[in-house]
Amino acid sequence: MHNASMLGAAMLARTWQRHRKESQYLHLATAAMEYSCTRMRPDGSWLYGEEPRCHWVDNFHTGYNLDSLKCYIDNTGDRTWEPELYHAFAYFTSTFFEANGRPKYYHDRTYPIDIQCSSQAVETLAKFADVGPDVLPLAERVRELDDRSDAGSERLLLLSPVSASRRQDSDDALGTGHHVPCARAAVDA
């Protein structure tokens, strides 16, 4: 799973920079980033994982990868993978958002609508605010959509087409063949 490797590499890079300049931290972080960056697809995306059962591309794992690679570069000064960082960020912003700012779960479809996509999108976009003048406005559109509730006083944290129409758990909300409960939480109106 690229996001786990890259998150670990970012943590090692941060630890190396801020606390202990131990070479094994930097070596492991660099090796993990090299592994994942060399497996980036030509369009700027990463598969969730390399095993065939992990061949999908989604919003928030892409966000984790971007944040992790940026953290690695910022803490090590190693700019080797900077072109890949900006290529992947361009892919992220052009692929994972509808025109109104609604985050799409997968690269090729919106559903399920998941609060993790919104929250990670805002975090990633904020970290890349210096990339261009339309990055923070996109983050603001995502946040504003998240502040509104289409379900009255009830906010759907995970909304699939099935759960939206039936207000019940979907047997396969993610389209993965696994049962995924559609969580709902009441919020103040």
Side-chain angles (χ1 to χ4, degrees):
M1 303 339 150
H2 291 291
N3 69 295
S5 297
M6 295 175 85
L7 284 165
M11 186 267 315
L12 287 168
R14 217 172 25 250
T15 302
W16 176 81
Q17 173 61 29
R18 296 180 185 174
H19 303 293
R20 306 181 77 170
K21 299 272 187 178
E22 294 191 27
S23 63
Q24 75 250 25
Y25 293 176
L26 183 58
H27 175 74
L28 288 171
T30 301
M33 282 302 172
E34 180 177 357
Y35 178 84
S36 288
C37 288
T38 59
R39 282 151 182 85
M40 178 188 286
R41 295 167 19 155
D43 64 2
S45 67
W46 282 277
L47 294 171
Y48 174 70
E50 293 302 311
E51 293 184 20
R53 66 183 175 89
C54 300
H55 283 188
W56 72 83
V57 179
D58 69 60
N59 180 317
F60 62 93
H61 288 105
T62 301
Y64 298 156
N65 295 349
L66 287 165
D67 291 358
S68 297
L69 182 53
K70 186 174 190 327
C71 177
Y72 169 83
I73 291 169
D74 290 348
N75 281 281
T76 64
D78 178 0
R79 305 254 178 260
T80 303
W81 304 109
E82 198 166 54
E84 285 77 6
L85 175 71
Y86 291 110
H87 182 52
F89 184 72
Y91 174 84
F92 178 73
T93 57
S94 68
T95 302
F96 286 115
F97 301 93
E98 294 179 352
N100 67 354
R102 182 186 309 272
K104 293 167 42 180
Y105 195 99
Y106 293 108
H107 70 288
D108 59 352
R109 64 186 185 270
T110 300
Y111 288 99
I113 294 177
D114 185 343
I115 194 70
Q116 185 64 30
C117 293
S118 297
S119 60
Q120 185 59 46
V122 169
E123 183 175 345
T124 298
L125 292 166
K127 289 179 179 179
F128 285 81
D130 62 338
V131 170
D134 44 344
V135 175
L136 279 182
L138 177 55
E140 188 62 28
R141 287 196 309 277
V142 172
R143 188 196 60 77
E144 287 172 0
L145 277 172
D146 188 48
D147 284 347
R148 289 185 243 139
S149 173
D150 295 339
S153 65
E154 188 177 347
R155 176 172 308 208
L156 297 176
L157 299 181
L158 178 60
L159 174 65
S160 74
V162 173
S163 67
S165 63
R166 295 184 191 162
R167 300 282 181 182
Q168 65 185 23
D169 291 350
S170 167
D171 287 336
D172 189 13
L174 298 179
T176 61
H178 303 298
H179 174 75
V180 179
C182 294
R184 292 183 291 197
V187 296
D188 295 330

